[in-house]
Amino acid sequence: MSFRTVTVLGATGSIGVSTLDVIARHPQRYRVHALSAHSRMEQLAAQAAASQAAVVVVPDDAARARFAAAWQGRARLPEIRVGAQALADTAADSASDTVMAAIVGAAGLPSALAAAQAGKRVLLANKEALVVAGRLFMDAVRRSGAELLPIDSEHNAIFQCLPHAGRASAPAAPAPGVRRLLLTASGGPFRIRPLGELAGVTPEQACAHPNWSMGRKISVDSATMLNKGLEVIEAHWLFAMPAERIEVLIHPQSVVHSMVEYEDGSVLAQLGQPDMRTPIAYGLAFPERTPAGVSPLDLARHGRLDFETPDLARFPCLRLAFEALRAGQGACVALNAANEIAVEAFLRGAAPYTAIAAIIESVLAGDWPRAGDALGSLDGLLDLDAQARERARETLARLGVTGAR
């Protein structure tokens, strides 16, 4: 049994909270070194106190003051580090060997990359790290000898269904004998809603996921199935699998988390409760398995498991993600950036739900590089990301949806 020292980036989000829950169940196996958060300083203070974290990372001096105020009355104040560079430095800090990369969006890329470059065990819950910088990130894993374990339930399921030699590496080719990867998707809250009603759905309706409790941005991505499209791109990099050998199936019960089809006709599936503590516990303890606090799966109670092919007229964002993957890394950067701008506009009431796909499609119509210097460095990729965000804002302005709805 190995002892691990863990840094949790994005500690106050749903993945961070679940990670700390799993860690607290195994004090003999894990110790928390550092936690980070962007805005919830009071919650971060409570987490740091409970886990006895030595370090916390916050975005600015105002957040530092809020954390210090929330800490009053407690014992030893942890070291407070401030800013984006401190976040990357903490991810690479030699005081921890395992990093949970759970910061949402492209903002989580630099710290996740820093952890990979430092040779950590990286528990990757930030899919944008691979969507925006797949080749750069995977090359960093190979060069440093880092371990890479996917935490998204779908990729974790695929990982569990593939053969392993006891260590999580970055493959350069598909696993021998594998024919297809089958990613499952719940279909979200609008799977059967009439298409004519989608333009009028509210952020609250889009965030009401039928099976999972998630943050607002990822909940909207699940509703549009853009999230599943990002997972297709992520699977391409994680498992060295070409786009034509990755498929998506809608599975409303969210019991089968994904499947691997082998050339002999066998299909291996990972099943479980829709509880992120399962993949988190597996990533922390790999190649061992430990209790995660998850209740047993009662298949008799579920009674039936349904599967269907996604309707791309209902879920145009999924189609756009496949198109971006085939178009190359630059288009994947643009896809992610445009989506973040479009979803933010929808959530603040400045754009209708159906504008999300329209904005992404407009941005993807631009000329995005397939190769070259811009894709070979973090600065180049972030510059492309900034360009795509500006084009998305310009598209919002042209559509006349920048005001309150």
Side-chain angles (χ1 to χ4, degrees), residues 73-84:
R74 295 185 171 101
R76 178 196 58 85
L77 182 71
E79 178 187 350
I80 306 173
R81 301 177 183 174
V82 179

Side-chain angles (χ1 to χ4, degrees), residues 7-90:
T7 288
V8 183
L9 306 178
T12 60
S14 60
I15 296 294
V17 169
S18 293
T19 301
L20 291 172
D21 179 87
V22 172
I23 288 173
R25 294 172 187 274
H26 301 279
Q28 76 284 5
R29 296 187 68 112
Y30 309 117
R31 178 175 64 83
V32 172
H33 169 62
L35 304 174
S36 84
H38 183 72
S39 59
R40 301 171 185 147
M41 294 300 107
E42 293 75 18
Q43 183 179 355
L44 180 64
Q47 290 177 326
S51 65
Q52 298 183 319
V55 174
V56 296
V57 189
V58 301
D60 51 37
D61 287 335
R64 180 209 288 268
R66 284 179 52 209
F67 180 89
W71 190 267
Q72 285 185 0
R74 295 185 171 101
R76 178 196 58 85
L77 182 71
E79 178 187 350
I80 306 173
R81 301 177 183 174
V82 179
Q85 186 57 53
L87 192 65
D89 291 344
T90 301

Side-chain angles (χ1 to χ4, degrees), residues 109-120:
L109 170 56
S111 54
L113 182 59
Q117 290 169 332
K120 306 291 186 183

Side-chain angles (χ1 to χ4, degrees), residues 14 29 47 65 68 109 119 150 156 167 171 193 195 211-212 224 262 271 275 282 311 331 348 387:
S14 60
R29 296 187 68 112
Q47 290 177 326
L109 170 56
N156 191 274
R167 195 174 191 280
R193 184 180 286 257
L195 287 176
N211 300 333
W212 299 92
T224 65
Y262 285 85
L271 286 70
D275 190 320
Y282 185 73
D311 176 4
R348 63 181 167 86
Q387 292 177 39

Side-chain angles (χ1 to χ4, degrees), residues 108-308:
L109 170 56
S111 54
L113 182 59
Q117 290 169 332
K120 306 291 186 183
R121 170 173 284 194
V122 182
L123 309 183
L124 190 64
N126 172 279
K127 58 180 59 65
E128 291 81 6
L130 292 176
V131 173
V132 173
R135 188 174 303 282
L136 185 70
F137 192 92
M138 298 304 281
D139 284 349
V141 171
R142 295 186 188 103
R143 281 195 303 269
S144 70
E147 286 191 283
L148 181 60
L149 288 115
I151 299 302
D152 273 348
S153 59
E154 295 80 3
H155 304 96
N156 191 274
I158 289 169
F159 184 86
Q160 292 191 46
C161 293
L162 292 173
H164 297 290
R167 195 174 191 280
S169 60
V178 171
R179 179 186 292 158
R180 290 187 301 165
L181 305 181
L182 302 169
L183 293 169
T184 58
S186 69
F190 305 138
R191 182 175 63 87
I192 58 175
R193 184 180 286 257
L195 287 176
E197 296 181 5
L198 292 181
V201 302
T202 67
E204 290 69 28
Q205 291 170 325
C207 291
H209 194 280
N211 300 333
W212 299 92
S213 176
M214 305 180 292
R216 285 168 64 79
K217 192 266 181 184
I218 195 172
S219 293
V220 175
D221 286 349
S222 178
T224 65
M225 281 189 73
L226 188 281
N227 192 54
K228 200 57 50 179
L230 298 181
E231 289 173 7
V232 168
I233 298 169
E234 189 180 5
H236 162 74
W237 290 110
L238 282 170
F239 309 113
M241 189 64 67
E244 61 271 18
R245 291 167 62 185
I246 304 172
E247 296 189 20
V248 173
L249 283 175
I250 290 181
H251 169 50
Q253 292 88 359
S254 293
V255 170
V256 177
H257 296 306
S258 275
M259 296 170 275
V260 175
E261 181 183 79
Y262 285 85
E263 290 174 351
D264 64 2
S266 298
V267 178
L268 301 188
Q270 187 265 336
L271 286 70
Q273 297 282 18
D275 190 320
M276 289 304 298
R277 290 177 297 178
T278 295
I280 290 166
Y282 185 73
L284 283 167
F286 178 81
E288 301 172 47
R289 293 182 184 269
T290 58
V294 178
S295 60
L297 178 64
D298 185 350
L299 285 172
R301 182 179 63 81
H302 283 281
R304 57 182 286 172
L305 302 176
D306 299 303
F307 300 91
E308 60 192 61

